[in-house]
Amino acid sequence: MNNHVRIFDTTLRDGEQCPGASMNLREKLEVARQLARLRVDVIEAGFPVISDGDFEAVKTIATKIHGPIIAGLARCLPKDIDAAAAAVKPAGKKARIHVFLGTSKIHREFKFGKAQSEILRLAVEGVQRARKHVKDVEFSPEDASRTELDFLTKIVEAAISAGATTINMPDTVGYATPEQYGHMFAHVIANAKGARNVIFSAHCHNDLGLAAANSLAAVQNGARQVEGTINGIGERAGNVALEEVIMAMQTRADYYKGLRTGIQMREIVKTSRLVSRMCGFLVQRNKAIVGENAFAHGAGIHQDGILKKRETYEIMDPVKIGWGVTELPLTKHSGRHALAIRLKHMGYQLTGAEMEAVFTRFKTIGDKKKFVYDDDLATLVDDRISDVREIWSLDYISVSTGNQTVPTATVRLKKPREGAKGEVIQDACTGDGPVDAALKTIDRITGKRGKLMDYQLRAVTQGKDAIGEVTIKADFGKGRIVTGKGSSTDVIEASARAYLNAVNRALTQK
Ligand code: KIV
Ligand code: ZN
């Protein structure tokens, strides 16, 4: 059996599906570029039929990203499959259509009200239609882990004879245990006709915290593709964190004998950070592989051991996965050329206008901070990339606060108008604290009321002069949760920028 385990990244589809993680086209493209540098085998770029935005994102990624296979998701419905086909078409030979259909008893009875025979027919027709468009078709019997094994085997066999080239058997609700999930693969591979001619794939959700264990059990039982997301983002408890499965196979090569991925390990940390910034989900400090504390040793005995021999308490070399790769910082004296070279080295491809905007903010930050580190630069670029159309922009903010003062903010916002002079509006408001006062003033000016659902502040680098990056999630009605990001050396200004970013998103998103 081929020992190459393909890595199928669904950060931009299953990951982006979780509330508040949505990314705009520019952000998705940046993530896709980084995934290509990480050398994943497949990028599932979206679900083209669900919105014009998803269609455009898949099409753009299929056009611009070279290397990985580009997949688009579709239900077993003609309109879904045709939309996915049109979106992935620019990828040419690297285009994949991924069709799925619920197969478990609970899905058949309550979602579809259909008998097994009907489900079987729909699956076959879906795969056949997809095969008319592309050679590379993946079929997923959704909720496979709760599907009767006999029926699962039968539908997989039917999908293979209809032309599916990859069979993905998802643990859609994170219900399986490793033994059970592994056994499902062993059984279907042994009993479905044609199984030896296709690639089997694992797709695990983390509701019981078993996603990585389940994925590895699948691989031990014949799966040669693992689907997941960076940092494990995804609906509910998330999808399997790809970096965990990749590093488990790499670190325990002695146990997972001969299995290998084509992943460029040094890109792991960079990818994790980019995804975290782009979708506004901070990585928990103790997260395996990519959390800030993953390689921090607090106990004296451990530190002593590490100094004597790293392997006493470290099972992986952090440098090999991209930790601690620091470059000399830039300063306010660095020019455009130095900045451009550094950004290129960091993997960004910016337009002239984006470069100019980043340079302007770099100079402002350089005046306030002695050194501007790569992480600072990444934040400036991300702010730029995340920039939705600036309906409102921050012109001025001043806040007075103290332990015996009523916090009061004065904010001036600009609303540029094409061809006209535009509007400048200033207002002031008090609040429970300086951030509350600033956000309330923005509400008064924009007339948009957002309910703050989450607020996170992070120092991008170390030191008292570090840039503060604020990520907020706000509900602008009807449960529409929008993420906003902003940064500054002043945390109140960063908060105002983040909130305004969310307001602009809410105003421009369909
Ligand atoms: O979890 C799941 O079942 C899915 C399918 C669409 C593959 O995401
Ligand atoms: Zn899923």
Side-chain angles (χ1 to χ4, degrees), residues 10 13-14 17 170-172 203-205 227 235 239:
T10 183
R13 199 277 298 169
D14 224 357
Q17 219 161 290
D171 183 26
T172 304
H203 178 118
C204 298
H205 283 264
E227 305 193 358
E235 274 191 294
N239 288 63

Side-chain angles (χ1 to χ4, degrees), residues 229-251:
T229 61
I230 300 298
N231 302 335
I233 66 164
E235 274 191 294
R236 309 184 310 276
N239 288 63
V240 72
L242 284 176
E243 63 276 9
E244 293 176 11
V245 180
I246 293 164
M247 288 315 293
M249 280 191 279
Q250 165 80 13
T251 310

Side-chain angles (χ1 to χ4, degrees), residues 13-14 73 98 100 140 142 168 170 172 203 205:
R13 199 277 298 169
D14 224 357
L73 185 69
H98 176 190
F100 76 101
S140 290
E142 192 191 8
N168 178 45
T172 304
H203 178 118
H205 283 264

